[in-house]
Amino acid sequence: MTDGGVLTGFTVAVTAERRRDEMTALLQRRGARVVTASAISIVPLADDDALHAATAACIGLAPDLVIATTGFGFRGWLEAAEGWGLGEKLREVLGRARIIARGPKPCGAVRAAGLSEEWAAKTEASEEVLERLLADGVSGRRITVQEHGEPQTEFVAALRAAGAAVVEVPVYRWVPPPDTTPVRRLVDQVMAGQIDAVTFTSAPAVKSFLQLAGDDVPGVLDRFRSGTLAACVGPVTAAPLVERDVPVVMPERFRLGALIKTVADELPQRSLKLRVAGGTLEVRGHAVLIDGEPRALAPAAMSILASLAARPGAVVSKDQLIASLPRGNDGHAVDVAVARLRTALGSGRHIETVIKRGYRLRLDETL
């Protein structure tokens, strides 16, 4: 299989809003079937009264220190200020302040604005910034913290406890999506085992997804622990899942492209690979690969194959196979699904009929 089809047969969910289309394109380019369900919605900057008020407060405070947490947020803040006629005053205030950046992206935004940072956190973590500020001492200092999406509650509380006067600037506030139907549908698909991986690019998206799952949260978490891959862009995003004992994967570099690569590397390693009837059979989420070549299967045939592959070489009874199909089916439906499965696989050699007992895969070995 070519690199372009490395995710063929897998279904991946995208919960991001801002870069949803980009992520979808990257995953589809690798062969994935993509389900989109934005777990959060961004409040438009021009309509954000809270940001307008915080910007005016920052100008009035004339801060000694400004903490830039994200490049996208810092740029958006300046653009919004321009739209309100506050751009020039804000830039003057920022130009007189010492600017601390939480990593290279906010550094780039600071410099693009004609400003310069005094220091940047190598770990891109708020903890490193806070440790540096407290070590230097902030008592009596006036500090502006540019937030992104949600309050930096503990960070700000620690600064205030150390004697600083802090203005919080809530850039790009996130709220639940106006239409929660796609998220609820995704929850149902996760519960049904129809999703191979769910990607998250922000902690608020994780929290909103779980909140919208409602009473199904225990079942969703169980799926994440037992089958569905939870893929997060970094440790801050992963924290709400890690706190709930959910295993997560994340890239070494906390970037969107690296997240997609992590998913593309991880999912194929998780697929079941068998030597059946002299060939290699790989069972993926909604498709099967025969000697590396994908074969499209109807949902019923895929359910039958998954049940057989879960017990390779063993006889699986018709009653067990009926249970794997949608409700309302019987033994005849199983026989029809098996016949179609054999046709899709290109040979009847893969599946053996055991008279009056059921079916089994002709297993050579598990890879």
Side-chain angles (χ1 to χ4, degrees):
M1 180 185 297
T2 64
D3 291 341
V6 68
L7 290 177
T8 295
F10 293 115
T11 301
V12 181
V14 173
T15 61
E17 180 189 51
R18 184 169 64 87
R19 303 181 71 179
R20 175 187 58 206
D21 293 345
E22 181 181 354
M23 292 185 69
T24 297
L26 288 171
L27 289 165
Q28 290 177 337
R29 194 177 303 158
R30 289 161 175 78
R33 176 188 293 172
V34 180
V35 172
T36 60
S38 298
I40 53 177
S41 181
I42 299 175
V43 178
L45 294 181
D47 300 334
D48 196 333
D49 293 337
L51 177 59
H52 191 176
T55 301
C58 173
I59 293 171
L61 181 69
D64 304 303
L65 284 166
V66 174
I67 313 301
T69 59
T70 64
F72 185 67
F74 192 83
R75 288 192 299 271
W77 182 23
L78 294 179
E79 290 170 3
E82 292 285 352
W84 296 321
L86 299 175
E88 185 176 348
K89 291 182 179 179
L90 179 59
R91 288 174 186 273
E92 289 177 359
V93 166
L94 297 178
R96 292 193 295 267
R98 296 162 51 204
I99 299 178
I100 306 297
R102 196 188 66 177
K105 286 193 173 182
C107 274
V110 168
R111 295 172 188 175
L115 304 168
S116 60
E117 78 284 357
E118 178 181 280
W119 175 77
K122 293 182 180 179
T123 62
E124 304 181 37
S126 296
E127 290 78 7
E128 183 183 355
V129 175
L130 181 60
E131 183 179 351
R132 170 72 175 258
L133 292 175
L134 295 180
D136 290 346
V138 295
S139 180
R141 299 283 187 178
R142 302 182 303 276
I143 302 176
T144 292
V145 178
Q146 172 249 311
E147 299 172 336
H148 188 94
E150 63 179 350
Q152 300 265 45
T153 306
E154 295 180 2
F155 184 89
V156 170
L159 292 177
R160 286 175 175 155
V166 183
V167 168
E168 301 167 76
V169 180
V171 186
Y172 290 107
R173 289 189 297 117
W174 289 319
V175 295
D179 181 7
T180 61
T181 303
V183 177
R184 281 300 318 171
R185 186 183 303 118
L186 174 58
V187 168
D188 292 341
Q189 290 174 304
V190 170
M191 295 275 287
Q194 298 171 355
I195 303 295
D196 299 297
V198 180
T199 60
F200 296 101
T201 57
S202 71
V206 177
K207 295 175 183 177
S208 179
F209 177 77
L210 296 178
Q211 181 178 3
L212 293 172
D215 294 339
D216 290 327
V217 166
V220 168
L221 295 178
D222 284 343
R223 285 299 309 175
F224 280 142
R225 297 182 187 117
S226 62
T228 301
L229 177 70
C232 300
V233 75
V236 174
T237 299
L241 292 172
V242 173
E243 292 169 359
R244 293 168 171 80
D245 297 320
V246 170
V248 301
V249 298
M250 66 185 80
E252 292 184 4
R253 296 181 67 253
F254 311 146
R255 300 290 183 269
L256 186 147
L259 173 62
I260 301 301
K261 185 178 186 305
T262 297
V263 173
D265 290 342
E266 184 71 21
L267 282 181
Q269 295 180 23
R270 295 179 167 222
S271 63
L272 178 62
K273 302 175 182 65
L274 306 168
R275 289 289 297 175
V276 177
T280 300
L281 184 148
E282 180 179 346
V283 181
R284 296 188 168 188
H286 63 264
V288 60
L289 272 61
I290 302 295
D291 295 329
E293 292 299 319
R295 305 285 176 87
L297 296 179
M302 193 67 220
S303 296
I304 294 292
L305 179 59
S307 297
L308 295 174
R311 299 178 59 192
V315 176
V316 181
S317 70
K318 278 194 176 182
D319 287 341
Q320 292 171 313
L321 293 176
I322 290 171
S324 72
L325 295 176
R327 292 181 180 180
N329 285 293
D330 53 20
H332 176 68
V334 169
D335 294 336
V336 172
V338 168
R340 291 175 177 172
L341 176 58
R342 283 171 167 157
T343 299
L345 297 181
S347 171
R349 296 180 300 112
H350 299 91
I351 301 174
E352 177 184 1
T353 303
V354 181
I355 304 299
K356 294 184 179 181
R357 293 180 62 193
Y359 298 95
R360 67 182 171 193
L361 288 175
R362 295 180 183 274
L363 180 67
D364 298 334
E365 59 181 319
T366 303
L367 300 181

